[in-house]
Amino acid sequence: MKPSVFRPRPARIVCAAVFLLFLGALVLWAQADMTGYWAFRVTDGGVNFFQLQQTGDAVTSVAPAGRGGGPGRGGTLAGTLQNGKLHLVATSAMRGPAPAPAAGAGRGAAAAQTRETVYDGVVENANRIAVTMTGTGREPLKGTFERVTREEAYPTRIPPPDLQDVPDNGLVRTPPMGWNSWNKFQDVFDDATVRGMADAMVSSGMAKAGYTYIVVDEGWTSGRDANGNIVGNGKFPNMKALADYVHSKGLKIGIYSSPGPQSCSGKMGGGYQGSFAHELQDALTFAEWGYDYLKYDWCSAGNVYSNTTEDNRGAYQKMGEALLKTGRPIVYSLCQYGSHDVWKWGAKTGGNLWRTTGDISDRWDSMERIGFANIDIAPYNRPGHWNDPDMLEVGNGGMTADEYRTHMSLWCLLAAPLMAGNDLRTMTDETKSILMNADVIAIDQDRDFKPVERLSQEGKSEVLVRPLSGNAFAVGLFNRGDSPAQIGFRWEALKFDTGLYGFRRLQAQDLWKHEAVPTTGDSFTATVPRHGVVLLRVSIAGGRGF
Ligand code: GLA
């Protein structure tokens, strides 16, 4: 009998090699390696990118070289990856709203705040970790850490295109009117919410009053498919069907994107997909789905363009040209918070409206600051191209009825876009009376646009005047002070066209009280409540006066 000699057979060699490789992989994973670029994607939410470094079990985020770490780039992380379990804590604020903000509180209010956010996860494989994110004052959010390329996390900056004027699309000869989801819902809303708003727009009478565009703001995308097409997330599974529904109500529909790689950041955390490097593709998609309006929000564009007028203009021009190429009439709404005097060049990018300031919130001081700051730039308005002092907060509950009447009166005198920002399904009669005051809306929508002017300003009292078609004037007596004030003006300050026959008898209507006011004497004076307004329409009795 031959002594048995162990002879490795080929199959055994293969098995041993595979086993060793497997062990090796395990050891490698045990030493772990989160070193590299990662996206943290919230399920149906936004994304934040991190560059991570792992030493032993310790994981920390790396400050991006030469980058400011803008929106969508997450905060500073530190923690551990041990036995397939991830525990990371963000010690500085990610760009986003404060914990549990009051309804309508925009990001602006919270920019300086920090918060602690904790990511606890279980490793699924070397490139993916399932995570629950918790933070002070917020509901836990599910998401994943996914390994990405450097380019995906930190796209290369590109130069803007050569500047040229984009032709006028001929839309919105009077300021657009509609509803936008952001002020009330931020990014916590879905397809059903939007359909409900379209229903309510019609049933409440808002549509009859002129409100037309239902605009889906940040929160609808999940990213791109294999062909690079932008797609909706679980809350917005079929953006075309949503557009069809809104159209079936006789309304128009708007959508939201960014010239940057990601949008800003909502309650869900992180930025949603932006249109950077896919401008024409996205414009064609929006047109194919049937969208009539695009709000295009700067957000993370500062990570790929420089913060200059040329780059701002170039980034907006790209999408303006793309929208025209679709052949579909799409209102183009610029949102870059009024930087670089956008009112001087917004129309050249094809823009129909442009935000002139940072975000409004549902508070008197915010609305007052933004509204009155728009008076001096009112002459930049012209049919088809409008200054946008931001969406309305009327009905969101943070201001008194007098303050909301001031808000509505001021926006209409400014010829501002009127985008309601409240829940149209649950409006009180008072809210309806403010949003649907036909005489006040008529000022906003006057067919012969002429800019509002400041007739007088004394302490906290201001009188604003806007010439209207048909030889009439709108006059707003505003009390920005904290106690009631007597405010007045002389009738002769209104420069009526009196024709050959000289001055005629005037007639004046108080547009909130719905009653005539006496026009006898040289002047008109009223007691205006704190933060309130008296709004008049003054015309020549018996016709145009000549
Ligand atoms: C910016 C805009 C807001 C809204 C949010 C969404 O702050 O100014 O109107 O669109 O982004 O994140």
Side-chain angles (χ1 to χ4, degrees), residues 8 193 204 249 291 313 353 361 372 385 466 485 505 512 528:
T193 320
S204 64
K249 297 268 145 188
Y291 282 76
R313 193 175 147 185
L353 58 156
S361 58
F372 287 95
H385 309 284
R466 179 168 160 200
R505 195 165 59 81
W512 289 116
V528 185

Side-chain angles (χ1 to χ4, degrees), residues 238-533:
N238 191 336
M239 291 301 279
K240 181 176 182 330
L242 180 59
D244 290 345
Y245 184 82
V246 171
H247 288 151
S248 77
K249 297 268 145 188
L251 302 170
K252 294 187 190 299
I253 185 159
I255 199 164
Y256 170 98
S257 190
S258 168
Q262 276 82 42
S263 65
C264 298
S265 179
K267 279 184 174 172
M268 300 289 281
Y272 294 75
Q273 185 65 50
S275 292
F276 176 64
H278 292 266
E279 291 82 1
L280 181 58
Q281 187 176 12
D282 286 357
L284 290 167
T285 302
F286 301 152
E288 188 190 312
W289 287 344
Y291 282 76
D292 310 295
Y293 183 116
L294 172 68
K295 175 171 167 184
Y296 207 45
D297 194 349
W298 182 254
C299 297
S300 66
N303 295 318
V304 284
Y305 297 107
S306 302
N307 187 19
T308 60
T309 309
E310 289 67 33
D311 275 39
N312 266 253
R313 193 175 147 185
Y316 280 96
Q317 174 186 311
K318 267 192 203 170
M319 184 51 94
E321 286 171 340
L323 292 175
L324 272 191
K325 278 193 192 134
T326 68
R328 183 176 175 84
I330 299 178
V331 174
Y332 188 26
S333 160
L334 277 50
C335 177
Q336 43 81 279
Y337 335 116
S339 65
H340 304 286
D341 292 355
V342 60
W343 42 88
K344 295 184 179 159
W345 51 264
K348 297 182 176 179
T349 70
N352 295 114
L353 58 156
W354 44 80
R355 279 275 300 283
T356 53
T357 68
D359 290 15
I360 195 168
S361 58
D362 190 18
R363 296 192 321 266
W364 163 256
D365 56 340
S366 163
M367 183 279 290
E368 182 210 20
R369 181 169 27 82
I370 289 175
F372 287 95
N374 269 263
I375 295 167
D376 292 341
I377 56 170
Y380 288 95
N381 283 306
R382 59 190 184 280
H385 309 284
W386 306 102
N387 288 331
D388 174 9
D390 210 351
M391 286 96 62
L392 298 170
E393 292 283 7
V394 177
N396 279 332
M399 291 185 241
T400 65
D402 277 327
E403 291 170 340
Y404 281 142
R405 278 188 282 271
T406 293
H407 186 6
M408 185 75 181
S409 304
L410 194 46
W411 262 234
C412 290
L413 282 166
L414 289 169
L418 297 179
M419 304 301 288
N422 58 317
D423 190 338
L424 304 180
R425 299 166 302 187
T426 54
M427 288 191 281
T428 62
D429 287 346
E430 190 163 70
T431 296
K432 289 182 185 169
S433 74
I434 297 172
L435 285 175
M436 289 189 258
N437 183 320
D439 295 332
V440 179
I441 292 173
I443 297 173
D444 185 75
Q445 298 288 304
D446 194 77
R447 64 175 192 272
D448 297 334
F449 168 76
K450 299 228 174 52
V452 68
E453 283 172 34
R454 204 179 253 114
L455 194 62
S456 68
Q457 183 173 19
E458 239 188 275
K460 297 274 186 184
S461 300
E462 279 189 41
V463 180
L464 305 183
V465 176
R466 179 168 160 200
L468 300 175
S469 55
N471 205 16
F473 287 90
V475 185
L477 286 66
F478 290 90
N479 176 8
R480 300 171 65 176
D482 290 335
S483 42
Q486 296 277 308
I487 308 180
F489 68 100
R490 295 175 66 78
W491 296 113
E492 68 181 17
L494 306 179
K495 301 294 174 212
F496 279 99
D497 179 355
T498 53
L500 289 177
Y501 303 106
F503 204 68
R504 294 275 187 96
R505 195 165 59 81
L506 296 180
Q507 61 188 10
Q509 183 81 6
D510 180 322
L511 301 184
W512 289 116
K513 286 195 177 145
H514 304 283
E515 63 187 30
V517 301
T519 54
T520 46
D522 294 339
S523 60
F524 173 82
T525 303
T527 306
V528 185
R530 78 186 285 269
H531 298 178
V533 65

